[in-house]
Amino acid sequence: MRRIKLEVAYDGTNYHGWQVQPGKTTIEGVVNKALSELLQEDITVIGASRTDSGVHAKGNVAVFNTVSRIPPEKICYALNRYLPWDIRAQSSVEVPLWFHPRKVESKKTYEYKIINRNIAVPTERLYSHFVYYDMDIGAMEEAAGYLVGEHDFKSFCSVNTQVSSTVRRIYKLQVEKEGYLIKITVCGNGFLYNMVRIIVGTLIEVGRGRIAPKDMVKILKGLDRSLAGPTAPAHGLTLSCIEYDMNQIFKE
Amino acid sequence: MRRIKLEVAYDGTNYHGWQVQPGKTTIEGVVNKALSELLQEDITVIGASRTDSGVHAKGNVAVFNTVSRIPPEKICYALNRYLPWDIRAQSSVEVPLWFHPRKVESKKTYEYKIINRNIAVPTERLYSHFVYYDMDIGAMEEAAGYLVGEHDFKSFCSVNTQVSSTVRRIYKLQVEKEGYLIKITVCGNGFLYNMVRIIVGTLIEVGRGRIAPKDMVKILKGLDRSLAGPTAPAHGLTLSCIEYDMNQIFKE
């Protein structure tokens, strides 16, 4: 028995998110079925991030156990023959049997794309959020700065979430503008439910001048979801990568 | 009566190309319907480029006559309320009544995107051609150089085309690589049917080492479609822009 760690990229447009749900097409469901067909075993993956409906990924992570003798690093290529083109395994490696993608420490990086111009761009519509009003990038950068570090992000979390702690650490939160594209990149040790999309929705309010950059401190300290901005739409969001300290994992 | 020139961007994925065809959803058909609804007149546009099924555009051009008093430059915004999100009018200006987008001289620019890596990228699949074998960019650049200038492009034209002349001028044909993205940009005074896609298909053969760069001269001189490479898939192609000398047009 071996445990395999897969990196999976997908276009979330045509799926009801990652997690298996009865009667709905999900990425996890399609990956389970493709792996089971390829390996002729009943495979159920454990995913690192249960992305929402419409959210995309360049590198979500899933693990599964198998008795197959296919060389681990070749599984991703073989698997892609059983997957639709909007889901592509990017890599596969063997990991220790105890490795659990949500329980082992990791750095997650998300990217949010905003098209900021007077008229929308058709070929970007499924992968970015269209915002036509003028945005103050400097104000957004200042506001972003207040969120970096370890904080209680209760204000940036959907109210119905049940977690033991709402404290998370953001390593990086960057706002860049290139032409009409605004790219928000956030890297942290974990994210609460809808946290990235609420951060982005709040930064957009800052960009529009409806929230002052310094008010981010008050919003954080208030520990109240209603103080932050709206949840930005799912389709602008891409899970870029999930990094584990593999040297540490193989040493243990 | 006034004539309006529209710039139209679209995602060609869900359309049977530009040109109206009975029983099929086409970009021209949808634009005609939206304009007719907006202006409460029976509008039929004249398009500059009849892009194929699956080809995208950032700036195709269409003109139409109207008795409407809406300020010309505001028509594009009003029109977008009647168009689906995968088609967006980008600009609208008044032009002289004699202006015909296919008969007036223009510079057309196309862009072709190739994703060149070992595994495909799901979110790029509708807007690029996936090529997994190694490509020699230097060889492709050299080959491209032989096509610049005025030539008889009969070898780079689908055989069933009926045109009076197969001579065209290419002003620029550029091959760039940035990470795993290869971008081929071509600008000319006009293109024969499938000419851009056959040029790209031939450059891919050069990149793979199946055609030597210098053989481009023989292929051009042979005036025979069977000498060139295959027609590259439609979905990698985007019509970037069509430029007219507007100063000249308004002077006449």
Side-chain angles (χ1 to χ4, degrees), chain A residues 142-180:
Chain A
E142 186 192 333
Y146 296 114
L147 299 184
V148 176
E150 191 172 81
H151 301 286
D152 187 333
F153 284 99
K154 194 157 187 250
S155 297
F156 295 90
C157 170
S158 282
V159 278
N160 51 357
T161 315
Q162 294 188 327
V163 281
S164 52
S165 164
T166 47
V167 174
R168 295 291 183 277
R169 179 174 288 276
I170 290 183
Y171 300 113
K172 183 177 113 169
L173 176 51
Q174 187 177 286
V175 181
E176 292 167 287
K177 184 160 187 181
E178 213 188 290
Y180 55 68

Side-chain angles (χ1 to χ4, degrees), chain A residues 138-243:
Chain A
M140 292 170 79
E141 286 181 311
E142 186 192 333
Y146 296 114
L147 299 184
V148 176
E150 191 172 81
H151 301 286
D152 187 333
F153 284 99
K154 194 157 187 250
S155 297
F156 295 90
C157 170
S158 282
V159 278
N160 51 357
T161 315
Q162 294 188 327
V163 281
S164 52
S165 164
T166 47
V167 174
R168 295 291 183 277
R169 179 174 288 276
I170 290 183
Y171 300 113
K172 183 177 113 169
L173 176 51
Q174 187 177 286
V175 181
E176 292 167 287
K177 184 160 187 181
E178 213 188 290
Y180 55 68
L181 174 69
I182 298 172
K183 216 165 73 178
I184 299 173
T185 309
V186 57
C187 173
N189 66 353
F191 293 93
L192 302 163
Y193 186 53
N194 280 346
M195 180 169 152
V196 178
R197 288 165 58 192
I198 298 169
I199 288 174
V200 169
T202 308
L203 290 178
I204 290 173
E205 293 295 279
V206 170
R208 294 179 69 175
R210 290 167 154 210
I211 291 176
K214 277 185 185 153
D215 287 348
M216 294 302 266
V217 181
K218 273 189 241 166
I219 296 171
L220 261 180
K221 287 193 175 156
L223 303 177
D224 177 357
R225 170 69 187 91
S226 70
L227 298 173
T231 306
H235 62 272
L237 186 61
T238 298
L239 170 55
S240 301
C241 62
I242 305 178
E243 295 162 280

Side-chain angles (χ1 to χ4, degrees), chain B residues 121-136:
Chain B
V121 180
T123 53
E124 297 286 347
R125 79 193 185 289
L126 304 173
Y127 312 103
S128 64
H129 174 39
F130 170 56
V131 170
Y132 62 85
Y133 22 76
D134 283 335
M135 301 271 270
D136 181 340

